[in-house]
Amino acid sequence: MLDVLRLVWFDLKHELYPPVWIGLEWFSFSAQIFMYGALMSQLVNIPGIPNYQQFYAVGFVVMMTFDVGSHAGREFVEAAHEGRLPYLLSLPISRSKLFLSIALKGGLELALMLMVPFGIILAMIGNLSLVSMAAAAATLFFLGFGIAGLMLGLSFIAFKSSDMYSAITTGLSALLIRFSTVMYPLMFLARASPGYEVVARFSPLTYGADLAHLFLGFDPGMLLNPTIAVAVLTALAVSTLGVCTFLLQRLVEGVKSG
Amino acid sequence: MTELVNILRLARSDFSYFFRTKWLMAVLLSLNLSDMLIVALVYKQLISSFNYFQFFVPAIIIMGLFVAALDTGRRIWLAIREGVTQYYLALPISTQGIVVAYLLAGGLAAMVYSASLMLIALVILPITAVWNALILLPFLFFLAMGLAGISATLAAFASTHGEFFFAYQQVVQILLLTMSTVYYPIEIVKNYLPPFLTSIVSANPLSLAAEAMRDAFLGNSVPPSSLLNILLASLPFTIVGAAAYFIALRTIQTKGKP
């Protein structure tokens, strides 16, 4: 276990000295919630959601989770291209411990990035039980692992062309976020175009956002069935992480560093 | 005359580099088109007081211009980091010439990119007075030069601080976009922010350009005072950016590194 912790620290310390990216996430959250969210809240009129700023704040944390998860995938690809991965693979440590350290590092990074924004949301909404707070946090972690797994699964493209990988993942990210319920409830996507609702049901962010909104006290009538959301998120995290662990063990052994 | 030809050659090279960066094109297009075709349409359903689609689509053209112009800084930063700048300094072109070439290329690339967004916007939001929109293009070019100037300043500052350039860029991007009338009307801003900050929002070049673009899309002629304001608001950024980049180049010339 000490080996795993040492590897986690080896990767994590770059984020902490200095903590520019963590601070930037916090700043970005504050600007988005206290400017964009607050001003849009005066314009938006959703029956059942009296305060759009709170709805948007929860959605924004889901977006942040998505960003951190996809960053983990991109970082893995960078590590392969910059030669850090072949170095890690040459260490006297088992592959399972190496992947465990990558997953743990991702989890800790997510916790560091979300700590302050999540605290602000809890303070904004207020009157929440410990169980609902813990359930919302667990939803975010599950979603983070699922997205990281998805991006890692796509990393085989990067071994052919890193430009193509960047283009596909960024394009996919924009579409997954827009076609989801992070910024607006599903019924309004359907009102904009019935096709949008269908596409949104394929976005994992829809399930993550609706579940997080549910645990944080938003009207269940506007959200997806929580049982389905839990099933989708669990399936996503387990399947993508499982498949990518299986694939990567084969891919990385002969990885090109060019 | 030779100097002018060399400036244009260098500008052409940087201009084509922007459009040849596939991942960047994927990022910009996926963000701007999904904002236009998904976010604007869904928010139209959420906002009952006015037509948000008509309000937001013209502003997305300005957002595209802004983000494309900011990429000038990334190209400058990359050239400094990878030693391409030293190569440029060895070319038969003055240091001022290199600065002018980069700002011209940045302005032109952003203007061409936003013009392509404008064409798409004209398809989904038909207007009767196309001429009103087209007359804005030269002013958008000046605005893009100003925004490229901001980005050049960031690149010059970040040249000694590694990848912090992206952190600076993100902070500027968030501040300029949220403190503008790109997303919300000025009346809403007045209700929320103190008068001092409201005047900053009004004077923000992105607000000025977004308002002018909205006027054009509504079929109204854009007041000459608005066009003049865009020029006046862009000029200081262009000058500061040019000076910062010039100083960075001079430092490289004398010390051999930033």
Side-chain angles (χ1 to χ4, degrees):
Chain A
M1 197 59 197
L2 199 65
D3 291 339
V4 174
L5 292 178
R6 201 175 287 146
L7 269 178
V8 170
W9 179 242
F10 173 76
D11 269 342
L12 201 64
K13 66 181 174 196
H14 302 292
E15 303 283 345
L16 296 172
Y17 296 114
V20 174
W21 301 108
I22 296 171
L24 189 65
E25 288 288 327
W26 295 354
F27 166 76
S28 170
F29 172 84
S30 308
Q32 287 290 337
I33 303 313
F34 297 113
M35 268 303 287
Y36 179 85
L39 289 168
M40 289 304 283
S41 186
Q42 296 184 40
L43 290 173
V44 169
N45 181 19
I46 307 176
I49 299 176
N51 189 339
Y52 179 73
Q53 189 186 18
Q54 290 177 0
F55 184 89
Y56 180 72
V58 177
F60 195 78
V61 165
V62 173
M63 279 194 260
M64 288 173 77
T65 307
F66 176 81
D67 271 347
V68 178
S70 34
H71 172 73
R74 271 199 292 273
E75 207 174 39
F76 181 81
V77 170
E78 272 171 26
H81 277 266
E82 289 169 2
R84 200 151 47 92
L85 187 62
Y87 163 71
L88 291 174
L89 289 168
S90 71
L91 293 174
I93 182 171
S94 68
R95 297 289 181 262
S96 54
K97 279 186 179 173
L98 181 62
F99 290 122
L100 178 65
S101 74
I102 293 173
L104 264 179
K105 187 248 169 181
L108 277 173
E109 199 180 355
L110 184 63
L112 283 170
M113 300 268 190
L114 295 191
M115 200 166 54
V116 168
F118 194 66
I120 292 174
I121 286 181
L122 297 181
M124 272 170 81
I125 297 174
N127 284 331
L128 290 166
S129 68
L130 267 178
V131 176
S132 57
M133 287 189 252
T139 303
L140 295 176
F141 274 91
F142 247 66
L143 180 70
F145 279 120
I147 297 298
L150 186 69
M151 294 300 170
L152 281 171
L154 286 173
S155 66
F156 71 93
I157 301 168
F159 295 117
K160 295 186 189 305
S161 160
S162 63
D163 267 4
M164 196 192 288
Y165 174 76
S166 301
I168 289 176
T169 51
T170 44
L172 187 70
S173 305
L175 290 179
L176 282 178
I177 289 174
R178 266 58 170 193
F179 278 121
S180 77
T181 54
V182 290
M183 293 189 277
Y184 20 70
L186 193 65
M187 69 166 79
F188 290 94
L189 271 158
R191 277 190 206 168
S193 166
Y196 286 2
E197 187 199 353
V198 177
V199 181
R201 284 180 187 270
F202 286 99
S203 171
L205 288 186
T206 297
Y207 299 94
D210 274 15
L211 205 54
H213 279 122
L214 178 85
F215 289 132
L216 294 174
F218 286 85
D219 180 6
M222 311 207 83
L223 309 169
L224 284 170
N225 182 338
T227 317
I228 295 174
V230 170
V232 169
L233 287 184
T234 311
L236 177 79
V238 173
S239 64
T240 57
L241 284 175
V243 168
C244 79
T245 308
F246 176 78
L247 276 175
L248 289 176
Q249 277 184 339
R250 276 146 190 78
L251 268 172
V252 294
E253 302 299 334
V255 68
K256 292 176 201 162
S257 57
Chain B
M1 191 63 190
T2 320
E3 174 80 351
L4 183 65
V5 172
N6 288 339
I7 289 173
L8 292 177
R9 274 196 191 136
L10 189 57
R12 189 184 62 185
S13 151
D14 188 53
F15 175 79
S16 69
Y17 179 59
F18 172 78
F19 286 100
R20 276 188 287 114
T21 315
K22 284 177 232 146
W23 65 264
L24 180 70
M25 285 294 109
V27 172
L28 292 179
L29 285 172
S30 55
L31 283 174
N32 294 137
L33 292 182
S34 59
D35 272 345
M36 223 179 248
L37 302 172
I38 307 166
V39 178
L41 268 179
V42 179
Y43 269 110
K44 186 187 168 194
Q45 309 300 321
L46 298 173
I47 296 168
S48 49
S49 47
F50 62 99
N51 186 339
Y52 191 75
F53 184 71
Q54 212 168 41
F55 177 84
F56 191 41
V57 167
I60 293 169
I61 300 168
I62 303 302
M63 280 164 70
L65 178 96
F66 175 50
V67 181
L70 277 196
D71 189 65
T72 311
R74 186 189 61 86
R75 299 196 299 276
I76 290 174
W77 171 79
L78 211 58
I80 293 175
R81 195 187 71 163
E82 298 192 347
V84 179
T85 304
Q86 274 89 339
Y87 162 71
Y88 284 154
L89 289 168
L91 292 174
I93 180 172
S94 66
T95 312
Q96 295 94 316
I98 297 174
V99 173
V100 173
Y102 260 93
L103 289 181
L104 272 180
L108 195 63
M111 192 197 66
V112 170
Y113 176 74
S114 63
S116 63
L117 284 180
M118 193 192 279
L119 287 177
I120 297 167
L122 286 171
V123 173
I124 57 170
L125 196 67
I127 59 170
T128 44
V130 176
W131 175 246
N132 284 346
L134 293 181
I135 208 166
L136 273 175
L137 284 178
F139 295 91
L140 292 186
F141 173 67
F142 276 100
L143 174 64
M145 291 247 289
L147 298 171
I150 297 177
S151 192
T153 313
L154 299 178
F157 271 116
S159 58
T160 49
H161 296 93
E163 297 195 345
F164 288 176
F165 166 70
F166 294 102
Y168 298 158
Q169 194 188 35
Q170 203 174 325
V171 169
V172 167
Q173 202 170 325
I174 291 169
L175 282 178
L176 277 177
L177 281 173
T178 51
M179 295 288 284
S180 77
T181 55
V182 161
Y183 301 107
Y184 15 74
I186 191 70
E187 293 74 32
I188 295 291
V189 179
K190 277 179 188 159
N191 289 343
Y192 182 71
L193 292 179
F196 166 67
L197 287 176
T198 307
S199 48
I200 291 179
V201 171
S202 304
N204 181 335
L206 296 183
S207 301
L208 297 171
E211 295 303 332
M213 190 62 82
R214 281 180 193 126
D215 273 342
F217 267 77
L218 283 172
N220 305 329
S221 58
V222 183
S225 59
S226 293
L227 299 176
L228 185 68
N229 284 342
I230 292 175
L231 289 184
L232 290 177
S234 312
L235 199 62
F237 293 123
T238 315
I239 293 170
V240 171
Y245 186 34
F246 180 76
I247 293 167
L249 288 177
R250 272 292 157 93
T251 312
I252 294 171
Q253 258 173 339
T254 50
K255 290 186 183 169
K257 60 179 184 178

